[in-house]
Amino acid sequence: MATIFEMARALGEELQKTPQVEALVAAKAAYESDPEIAKLVEEYTKLHYDFEAKMNAGGISIEEQRAFNEQMKAKGEAIRTNKLASDLYVAEQNFNNFVNSVFNIITATLTGEEPEQGGGCDTSFFSSCGGGCH
């Protein structure tokens, strides 16, 4: 008989074959290979580190804080509106909803309850993401 760990590994291998995982892997690969988003994230991170360094070195003026906030806002918006970043976010959400539905089935089984709707989640709750767990 297989151990729990062997069954968990087998479950993981089966989960890799699902559309949710395949979409997440593809979105992550596209995101990580795009030089534009990499540059935006690098600039955002550098801006944040530079601001922290200035703060730790004795603080900054109100004007510098405002300028920093505006720059961070603009960089953050550029990242959020990037299609590959958006696609990755959606794929991550669908994956998380899917994994949560699997976990709900496991939890329901452990507690002796009957998992709802065979997927462990309410389809109306996830209608905005396309019900990725069903």
Side-chain angles (χ1 to χ4, degrees):
M1 181 174 173
T3 69
I4 295 294
F5 298 110
E6 291 168 335
M7 288 188 286
R9 179 164 282 118
L11 176 60
E13 290 169 357
E14 288 302 312
L15 290 173
Q16 287 178 326
K17 301 173 189 174
T18 65
Q20 293 83 0
V21 173
E22 290 174 355
L24 177 60
V25 169
K28 187 173 182 180
Y31 175 90
E32 289 176 348
S33 68
D34 183 61
E36 179 187 340
I37 191 67
K39 182 180 177 199
L40 288 171
V41 171
E42 181 181 332
E43 290 171 352
Y44 183 91
T45 302
K46 182 180 181 331
L47 188 62
H48 186 266
Y49 284 136
D50 290 349
F51 179 77
E52 282 186 357
K54 285 182 182 180
M55 287 292 289
N56 291 335
I60 60 173
S61 70
I62 295 295
E63 292 80 24
E64 288 175 308
Q65 287 180 12
R66 286 186 184 131
F68 166 77
N69 286 337
E70 288 301 316
Q71 290 174 332
M72 289 295 283
K73 189 176 183 181
K75 292 288 181 200
E77 186 63 22
I79 292 169
R80 280 188 294 282
T81 59
N82 178 282
K83 178 167 176 16
L84 296 176
S86 177
D87 290 349
L88 178 58
Y89 177 78
V90 168
E92 287 173 339
Q93 293 295 0
N94 287 338
F95 170 78
N96 289 336
N97 291 339
F98 174 66
V99 170
N100 284 336
S101 70
V102 172
F103 183 74
N104 288 341
I105 292 170
I106 293 168
T107 301
T109 301
L110 288 172
T111 60
E113 298 173 10
E114 185 65 30
E116 293 180 20
Q117 300 179 14
C121 64
D122 180 357
T123 56
S124 65
F125 180 76
F126 295 116
S127 61
S128 64
C129 70
C133 60
H134 301 282

